[in-house]
Amino acid sequence: MFGLDGPEALAADSLGLIAGIGDSVAAFDEARAAAEAVELPWPADAVTDVAILGMGGSAIAADLVTGAYRERLRLPITTVRDYYIPGWIGEGTLVILSSYSGGTEETLTAASQVLERNSLAVAVTSGGKLGSFYAAEGVPVIPVVPGMQPRAALLRMMVPLLVMLDRHALVPSLDSDMEEARATLTAAIAAYGPDVPEAENPAKQLARSLASRVPLVWGAELTTPIAIRWKGQFNENAKIPAYASALPELDHNEICGFAGMPAPLSELAQLVMLRDPRHHRQVQRRFDLTRELVEPHVAGVLSIEAEGQSALARMLDLVILGDYASLYLALLRGVDPGPVEMIERLKERLAQTGFGRSADPSA
Ligand code: F6R
C-alpha cells in the first residue's frame, strides 16, 4: 500500500487534481463573476420553472444546488440526465445547459429540443458545440476555463447555477451564504489538504479506512446528492465500485437486501452515513435504527456529520472531504486519479457506431 504524506505521495496524480482543490476559492470567485456578468435577454419574472440539463460531473452540480436550497426554492427545478426533455418544458422554462466540455451527446441532443420549445436557455460550458453553435443561436454562454476534468470543475459549474437562481429571485438572497461558502472552502482545504499529515487529516484517514472496501454511501435530504457525488468520485478518481442511496426511501426496500448479503460482499461493504444536524428528527432516528439493523451484515460503518451554518456551507464541507478522500484513496491504490479511461473508451465506441457524436468535444 502506498503512503499519503510528502510530495512524492502526489506523484501518481498526473493531472494535479489534488493540488487543484487548493484553488477552490479563486474558482468560486471567478465563476461567480462570470455568471454575474452574462447578459440575459429576458426579465427575471418571465421564468415559470427550471430545468438543468447535464450528465455526470456537470449534472451533480445541479443536484447539489437544488439539494442545498430545496426547502426554499420558489419554483420547481429538475435535473435532466436524458436525451429527451420532459413535455412540460416550455417558453417560460429557464433551461440551463450544463456541460463542462460542451460536447456531451445526451446534453446536446436534449439542447436541440430546448431550442424548438423557445425556452429561456443559458449555457454553462468551457466550449465545444455548446459554446459555439448554441452561442450563435443566441443562447447566452457563461464561460468556464477549459482544460480541466469536468468533475474537478465542480465549483466552476455549480456557482453559475446558484447565481442564475439568485438573478431570477428563485432563492433567498445568497450574499451571506456565499461568504460562508468561501470561508468553508478555505477551512476544508486547511483541514483535508495534502500538506496535513495523515495523523491529523480526516480525509486521509477516511481514505485509509475505505481501502480494499466497497463504499455504500447513504444520504438524506441535504446529503442525498452529496452521497451521489461521493459515489461518483470513488468511481472516477479511485476507480472502485461504490454505491449511493438515500433515506428514508432505502428503509422501504434496500434494507431487506442486507439480510441476504453474500459473505464475500459483507466482508467488503463499508457503510458511510452522511448526516446533517438539520435532518428531520425522524430521519435522525432512521439513521440510528437502520444502522443497528444493518451493522451485523457489513464490514464497518462510518458516520460523518456536516458542519456549518448555511446548508450551502455544510454541503461544500462534505463535498470537499469526499473529493479529497477519493483522491487519496486512488493514491493508496497506486492508481492515477485523473484519467477516466473507461468513460473515454465508451465514448469512442459510441462514436464508432455512427449514431453518437465524436469523442472530440469540439467536433
Ligand atoms: C469526468 C466527469 C464526467 C463528465 C460527463 C459529462 O471528469 O466528471 O462525469 O462530467 O462525462 O461530460 P461534461 O461534463 O463535459 O458534459
Side-chain angles (χ1 to χ4, degrees), residues 55-58 98-104 107 149-152 236 340 343 347:
M55 299 301 299
S58 296
S98 172
S99 171
Y100 177 79
S101 63
T104 298
T107 312
Q149 277 290 328
R151 65 191 184 285
E236 292 187 60
V340 278
I343 297 178
K347 284 184 179 174

Side-chain angles (χ1 to χ4, degrees), residues 265-281:
L265 197 49
S266 269
E267 284 156 26
L268 294 174
Q270 175 72 47
L271 191 59
V272 182
M273 303 192 311
L274 301 182
R275 300 185 62 165
D276 181 35
R278 308 276 174 86
H279 279 316
H280 189 288
R281 61 173 186 237

Side-chain angles (χ1 to χ4, degrees), residues 35-184:
E36 282 173 351
V38 80
E39 276 184 42
L40 301 174
W42 55 78
D45 62 4
V47 172
T48 55
D49 41 31
V50 184
I52 305 175
L53 275 48
M55 299 301 299
S58 296
I60 194 66
D63 290 346
L64 289 165
V65 165
T66 25
Y69 287 94
R70 71 201 180 290
E71 288 154 32
R72 288 173 291 160
L73 292 172
R74 299 211 169 100
L75 290 175
I77 302 189
T78 306
T79 309
V80 179
R81 293 174 164 90
D82 276 316
Y83 288 91
Y84 288 123
I85 61 172
W88 53 263
I89 289 183
E91 292 192 358
T93 308
L94 172 66
V95 180
I96 307 181
L97 309 168
S98 172
S99 171
Y100 177 79
S101 63
T104 298
E105 72 168 32
E106 297 92 320
T107 312
L108 290 175
T109 307
S112 65
Q113 299 152 46
V114 170
L115 285 192
E116 286 162 19
R117 303 260 178 105
N118 276 329
S119 302
L120 311 170
V122 52
V124 185
T125 186
S126 71
K129 191 168 177 190
L130 208 51
S132 51
F133 175 80
Y134 286 91
E137 291 286 317
V139 173
V141 175
I142 300 172
V144 183
V145 286
M148 299 177 68
Q149 277 290 328
R151 65 191 184 285
L154 179 75
L155 289 171
R156 296 180 184 275
M157 300 303 292
M158 193 176 83
V159 174
L161 305 180
L162 270 173
V163 172
M164 280 301 116
L165 298 186
D166 190 35
R167 285 183 60 174
H168 292 87
L170 301 179
V171 286
S173 169
L174 287 177
D175 285 338
S176 70
D177 283 10
M178 293 295 230
E179 274 320 299
E180 194 196 356
R182 294 175 84 258
T184 297

Side-chain angles (χ1 to χ4, degrees), residues 15-38:
L15 303 181
L17 300 190
I18 297 174
I21 299 179
D23 300 330
S24 290
V25 175
F28 188 95
D29 290 344
E30 278 170 37
R32 184 176 185 181
E36 282 173 351
V38 80

